Amino acid sequence: MDPLKNIESLAYFSPEIILVVFAAAVIILDLLVKNRESEKVAYLSLVGLGCSLAAILITNSLNGSKEPISLFFGMIRLDGFAVFFKILLLMATTATILFSLRSEELDAKLKGEYYALLLAITFGMFLMASSTNLLMIFISLETVSLTSYILAGFLTHSPRSSEAAFKYITYGAVASGTMLFGLSMLFGMAGTGDLTQISSQIAAVLASGGVSSLGVLIAITFVLAGIGYKIASVPFHMWSPDVYEGAPIPITAFLSVASKAAGFALFLRFFHTGFGTPEIMQSIDWRLLLAIVSALTMTVGNLAALPQQNVKRLLAYSSIAHGGYLLMGAVLLTPEGLAAILFYLIVYLFMNLGAFYVVVLIANEAGSEMIDGYRGLATRAPLVAGAMAIFLFSLTGIPPLAGFFGKWVLFYAVIGEGLYWLAFVGLLNSVVSLYYYARIVKAMYFETAEDPNSLSFSNGTFALLSVFAVPTIFIGLLNIFYTLSDKITLQ
Amino acid sequence: MLLSLMIFVPLLGMIVVLLLPRESEELIKRVTLAFTLVPLVIAVVLFVSYNRSTVGTQYVVNVPWIDAFNINYHIGIDGLSVTLLLLTALLGPICVLASWRNIEKGIKAYMGLFLLLETGMLGFFAALDLFLFFVFFELTLLPMYFLIGVWGGPRKEYAAIKFFLYTLFGSVLMLVAMIAVYLNSNVINGVTEGVRTFDIPTLISLAGTEGHALADSGFQMWVFLGFFIGFAVKVPIFPFHTWLPDAHVEAPTAISVILAGVLLKMGTYGIVRINMAMFPEGFAIFTNGVGFWGNSLALLGFINIVYGSFCALAQTDFKKLVAYSSIGHMGFVILGLAAGNSAGINGAILQMFNHGVISAMLFLLVGVLYDRAHHREINGFGGIGNKMPIYTGITTLAFMASLGLPGLSGFVGEALSLIGAFQEFELLTILSTIGIVVGAAYFLWTLQRVFLGTLNPKYEDLPEINKREILTLVPLGILTIVLGIWPNFALNMFSESVSNLVNALSAI
Amino acid sequence: MVVPLISIILLCPLAAFAIFALFGLAKRSFPRQDYLSTAAMLVALCCSLLLLQDVVSNPEPLTIEWLSLGDISFSMGFYLDSVTVIMLIVVTLVSSLVHIFSIGYMHGDPRYPRFFAFLSLFSFSMLFLVVSDNLLGIYIGWELVGLCSYLLIGFWFEKDSAANACKKAFLTTRVGDVGMFIGMMMLFNQFKTLSLYGTDGIFTRIADPVFFTGDTAGIVWLSIAGILIFCGAVGKSAQVPLHTWLPDAMEGPTPVSALIHAATMVAAGVYLVARMFPILTPTSSLVIAYVGGITALVAATIAIVRFDIKRVLAYSTVSQLGYMMLAIGAGSYVAGLFHLTTHAFFKALLFLGSGSVIHAFHAMHAHHDDEHTESEEHEHDDQGLVHDHGSEIPPDQDMRNMGGLRRKMPITFITMLVATLSISGVPFIFSGFWSKDAILGGVLGQAMASSSPHYYILFGMALLAAGITAFYMFRLIFMTFFGEPRNQEMHNMAHESR
Amino acid sequence: MEFTLKTFIFYGFALITIGSALAVVTVRNIVHAAFALMVTLFGVAGLYVFLQADFLAATQVIVYVGGILVLILFGVMMTSGRLEMRIHIERGQLLLGGCISIALLMLLLTVIANTPAWENLTDDGTQLAPTTKRIGELILNEKFLLPFEVVSVLLLVALIGAALISRKEVRD
Amino acid sequence: MSLQHYLVISSILFTLGIFAVLTRKNAISILMGIELILNSCNLNFVAFSRFVTPAETIVGSEVFRFDGQIIAIFGIVLAAAEAAVFLAIILAIYREFGSIRPDEVDTLKG
């Protein structure tokens, strides 16, 4: 189908429009309500997210043929892949807003701007998941990045939040600049910015000898700097521990899940649609490069996580490692690999957000982000400790928790392509990761607290906790989530 | 249906226990006991009603689970699994009874985790789908980790994480091998056709099909290794054994019982069920192949026997001694399995069951002593035979069974394993008999140091073993004697399945 | 009649033990365990005597399948020939006597019922060993008697020496047993069965000339298997080099020494080798004969220099067992078994007699033990009692404390003298002469027949050992019963057993 | 290539651009660096003119020189307490950075040299039409409407964010 | 004045930008380096637009080559936005730490 023109596209663009409208509405409402009632703003933004979800479902059903549609002259594309990520991102944002409502660290700061920024960044991520044009890719990435910088530095009275923002933007700006340079090179080689055409164009010039494979590889590497930065892959991961540690916990959770998911959406679309064709693969096998990056990413993430004392920082490294696992799937270019990534992202969403939620709760109640602060949690707050243990073991990949099934589909896909070495590295990393996750469990269960008073939480807290914990237990055991990804392809 | 009920009743029990109020400890214990008795009853029913004359699996349930990977909830029992199910189900209530008084904190969580553990173990022995098999295999890890880590001894954290890491390392290799098997399960003569499968019986028959990718001996060798290392950690086979003494020493009594009684058997069961049945070519490479690796499996068995026995001899911690003796005794299992003939395999399986019973007794006995004296230093006792005659009597029975005294069950398994192994590896088997002598040495020495000689004045008032403790020991003691006198009682459960296996192995 | 009789013989002692064990679990004991066990033994004795009339020359074994594993199976069964029945009678008779003796001897011991239970278990195991028709059954009985020996030697386990001795006994015999087990495995590997008799039995097949058609390799492994099986006997029958446990085993109560370590268990080794005679090749026979000869000589020489009355008897036992082995090694296994039977009686007699002597001194011993601790440095304490600290001989067993007892204990004296004359082989009226003569004759005959120098050497060793035997036995008699009392106080208190 | 006035001017612009950029990264005084940057930006604008991108050249001057550079100068003044605003440079880091940069440059030049598709594309002197109107159409009505709208959101976010972060917090 | 001239210039600018980021110990200098990088990218785009992309012809002889140019326009806008946020963060940093040297703003460590 030909790309739709601007006005025709608007209907399919409604989820994004709703987000922007609500972002504006949130800002306006913020001016109207008193400081005490700032929760209303949060609820409004939740409504916005809900409307957006409804719009996604409606537009999806509007498109009866389920064929991918190109919108706005091919700037973005609406397909199952994009829809999947949009829903995933909406869930992550919803969770983040709920976390923020309960986070004492953000309490004084909860202004309309905060929620507006969250809506805006979701908007940017939607675009990341659906961009099919080099310019759109860059703009959406920048939208997300800029908003992330602001959110990371949102606690202006906290030095470490500012520091996080500073490091984030320093690394981020260089990375995006590098990426833009790479994009310009690709643009110069292909003569077009349209991702769908780039593939055939580059293949043509490669075949005619107009471009050396080295040149394409360098360009890809430059682009990878930007995307790799977003998904925190080695060697563009340096920012992430500092930023994760410094940023407010809900934002850390958001960055580690949503930002990473959006990054992977972009990554997959860019590499699969743009450079995954057999013609290109013939001359440039960038997969080996990525496989090595993937192996390094998980190894570095896991090894660096081992000695950490700060749970937030530990989870930051853990999320680097998980990025590495996900990259394995991205290397493959097979439907199995794609399905594995999608499934893993669902699982990762629940278990990682759940873990961060517990971090929020403990930071609120026990006032500590350090592992020592988790001592004796099993007796002080048995349910929270139990949920945390579930999340952590799921992150490790222990059956019957969902994390295991996520890893299972990933390794299955990897081995299916014959990359035994990569699977081995990944699996050994899982074993290593057990050690540091278990340290938190050890503190919670095997050690006794200095302050034996039990912590009390509201029923809402437990409800939200179970929203994450229950899927973490059951997703893998149910049939439906495996078949879900059958419908989503990138070709 | 009966089988599924048996597997999931403990899980249901866990939920029930978790819903009970934390304060009503007696109620929790009773409920747990009830929920562990149900599987026992079912296991006995299965054991009795199992048709011993046929080879195939019985009580089969096969329903789709994860369609995307053609994973089924496929369970069923053959003679081997029903025997181990009985063992597991028997140890369940015994362990609950053994935990009755000496678990001081968090009884609710303890019992809940224990029930979860039992589901994992029962499911493992009944699973006939490779994926399900793996999931159940791993399902035992989590509860075990907590049970050791929370209720363990002074170095519990270290022991728990070591146990966890070792086993996880092994299962990771297993996972790779499992995926490889799955991926090759629809490749015949280089052509991919049909759907892939995890179904163990199907895979076994495919692996015997000429030209099938699974039947390729090079492939089988690697896959065999993957699975083998996974199971070897669990057994544990030297050099993957170092987690075991730590775990045993730190774990509470009942958990040691489960660990030695059932968890170690999971490793050897896996070797029989997967490695030998599915990869006979690979098995042949490591048992009667050529070159350096030719006899490696038997060699490992031998090392286990001798190393375990000598280490046990050097221990002064009662529990550690029993733990090392476990390593030694599992060596006989490996040796018997490596023989690959009917005497060897039957002996090995019988030894699995017997060791389950006997080591359970030993750990219970250690626990009884520890509860009274609060230490386990062998040299710190002496002469208590006079104070605790019944305890001494039962201990002597257990020791004698463990050191392979004829007339008690330990002998039959050991002897059959050795007789089988001798037909294949004469020298190694002869050398392995060192283990018998050393086994007698450390047990007798322990008996002497703890029970004989003059009474250590510290233990003037040592109370005799109580009724509840006797109740936990008597069923095991009876089994030890009955199986020693009439081993066919267990052997004819699985001898048909084994001869089937032997035929398959000898066809290579 | 055979099956019920054998069943009764086996079950009676077993039941006696089982009753003890069941009561034990309930933390009490059967009211009269002593009478129960003794009665069980007497019943077994009567049944054994009844069996005498059922013995046929070449009987079929009575078997049931014990284990079947597809291609292989193990059976359990009984085999009754004259040898078996003789052994049955010996065992039950000696055992009954020991039971009766123990009722008085062990009276007042805190673990009195347990003693009888263990005796019953021992008797059962021994009988099981004797009647089994296959190696596996023999091995099972074999190990069980080892266990009972362990339990009985360590009966007074509060004594560290007893605790050490029982462990030593079990371990040492275990070493031999492992050898036997390997031998069994070798035989199983060849014959795919462990049954000895019957159409598929090892003996039947080995007698088949087809089996050894010029196959020297076959002979070699059979020799090795024979020697390995003999290893078991080396352990149990205390042959050199595994003989060290037997003297230590005298730490057990004297009835135990009489029953197990003189009459029955140690003889089991001889019985085993005699049973396995058909598979012995010339090479293995020679090895057996040498081990037996060396044992006979070495043990006899050691016995000369001992002062502990029970140890002298123990070394004497070892020496006599060596004799029996020598006989079997020389091919005259009938002579060996004959000597076994005679030895069982006269050695039991000697042990019980010595027990009587020791019992007579026992009260003294208890009295002295209290003071003993304060004066450990002295060779002779103030009352002139010899305390040999080096070898830790209990004073009531030290012959240096005895002497002149023939007037005090005439009955004991006469019975022991008779037994001594018998063991020394005084011609014509004593059983020991006939059996020893048969052995010496057998060895000489073998030497002439095979014309190999080995058997001449062995014959010489046997003669020498016989001489030494007479010497140390009379030394024992003279030190104990003749001369002047070396310790007047103890002498005064001595009396006949009641 | 003919050495005409046009080429002379081109090389002049190129040299000014590169030279001033070099100054930006080497000068020790931050204000000097800022002014050097201004020169660079002008130089790039000049190059845009050579590429016949008239609207872009104007934008470059207005946005960069008029906006960003002023912003940077504000930043300099607000953060540097003293007039002597020296930039600290470590020798080791300088060396390392230099090596990396030179390697990078070599890599890029290799790529440029090894890309035949980019060779021999000289300015044919075709006079292109003025671009402003067409750019307006493209951005506001045609292909680039979506990016334009998205960028407006982005600018809004940047506006809010910058205000939020830089404002003085009243601590309570 | 071939394409390669422009490419070489932009490559040098890019490299100098990277060099500044790597060596300068002042947040604002780093920002300047980033601006250099972005300028080099824009120059690339415009140059490619001029030489490589196919021309679109509207109404007779008027010839336009646009895509790259418009990307460059957006590039400039994004650079401006980024600079604004960057400077805002620099101000915040200066307020909290009294310094804008990256090596002094480094309290978060593993």
Side-chain angles (χ1 to χ4, degrees), chain B residues 79-81 83-84 265 268 272 333 336-337 343-355 413 417 490-491 494-495 497-498 501:
Chain B
L80 171 57
S81 40
T83 314
L84 291 169
K265 310 303 166 300
T268 41
V272 178
V333 178
L337 291 180
I345 299 176
N346 272 306
I349 295 172
L350 192 63
Q351 170 77 350
M352 280 159 66
F353 186 80
N354 290 337
H355 178 256
S417 305
L491 268 176
F494 47 78
S495 56
S497 315
V498 170
L501 180 62

Side-chain angles (χ1 to χ4, degrees), chain A residues 60 65 80 122 149 257 278 322 399 413 445:
Chain A
N60 199 35
S65 63
T122 314
Y149 308 148
V257 174
H322 282 270
Y445 280 88

Side-chain angles (χ1 to χ4, degrees), chain B residues 229-247:
Chain B
I229 294 176
F231 294 129
V233 173
K234 203 88 179 175
V235 172
I237 295 174
F238 181 92
F240 305 109
H241 64 283
T242 59
W243 63 268
L244 183 81
D246 289 313

Side-chain angles (χ1 to χ4, degrees), chain A residues 142 156 163 167 184 242 313, chain E residues 44 82 96 106-108 110:
Chain A
E142 274 294 286
T156 41
E163 183 185 336
K167 287 187 169 167
S184 75
D242 290 345
R313 199 173 174 86
Chain E
N44 253 2
E82 204 168 77
E96 298 291 340
D106 195 20
T107 59
L108 297 167

Side-chain angles (χ1 to χ4, degrees), chain A residues 185-406:
Chain A
M185 285 167 82
L186 287 177
F187 180 77
M189 290 168 184
T192 172
D194 198 332
L195 206 54
T196 45
Q197 293 170 25
I198 279 182
S199 177
S200 52
Q201 288 289 337
I202 297 258
V205 284
L206 268 175
S208 67
V211 185
S212 66
S213 51
L214 174 75
V216 180
L217 198 62
I218 294 291
I220 291 180
T221 313
F222 276 26
V223 176
L224 195 63
I227 305 180
Y229 167 80
K230 211 85 229 123
I231 58 181
S233 74
V234 170
F236 313 108
H237 67 288
M238 262 86 105
W239 60 274
S240 116
D242 290 345
V243 171
Y244 283 12
E245 190 184 340
I249 306 168
I251 297 305
T252 306
F254 186 74
L255 291 180
S256 74
V257 174
S259 186
K260 201 166 281 246
F264 267 99
L266 185 55
F267 184 98
L268 288 169
R269 207 183 272 287
F270 183 80
F271 279 97
H272 283 225
T273 313
F275 297 90
T277 55
E279 297 82 36
I280 294 183
M281 297 302 301
Q282 266 175 5
S283 37
I284 319 158
D285 201 347
W286 46 265
R287 287 192 300 174
L288 182 64
L289 176 76
L290 279 186
I292 294 169
V293 168
S294 152
L296 283 176
T297 304
M298 53 187 138
T299 311
V300 167
N302 278 322
L303 293 183
L306 287 177
Q308 298 308 324
Q309 291 300 329
N310 183 308
V311 177
K312 252 166 94 184
R313 199 173 174 86
L314 186 148
L315 287 176
Y317 281 114
S318 128
S319 101
I320 293 176
H322 282 270
Y325 299 139
L326 283 161
L327 264 177
M328 288 196 311
V331 171
L332 301 177
L333 286 180
T334 54
E336 284 88 0
L338 180 62
I341 293 184
L342 301 183
F343 183 76
Y344 198 86
L345 278 171
I346 303 176
V347 174
Y348 180 69
L349 172 93
F350 284 106
M351 57 193 185
N352 209 40
L353 284 180
F356 271 111
Y357 185 47
V358 175
V359 176
V360 171
L361 293 176
I362 301 309
N364 284 350
E365 297 294 327
S368 175
E369 288 174 3
M370 310 306 281
I371 290 185
D372 286 349
Y374 286 70
R375 279 196 190 151
L377 198 63
T379 47
R380 301 179 74 190
L383 284 176
V384 174
M388 187 64 168
I390 288 173
F391 298 135
L392 292 175
F393 283 122
S394 182
L395 284 166
T396 319
I398 307 286
L401 301 171
F404 163 73
F405 292 91

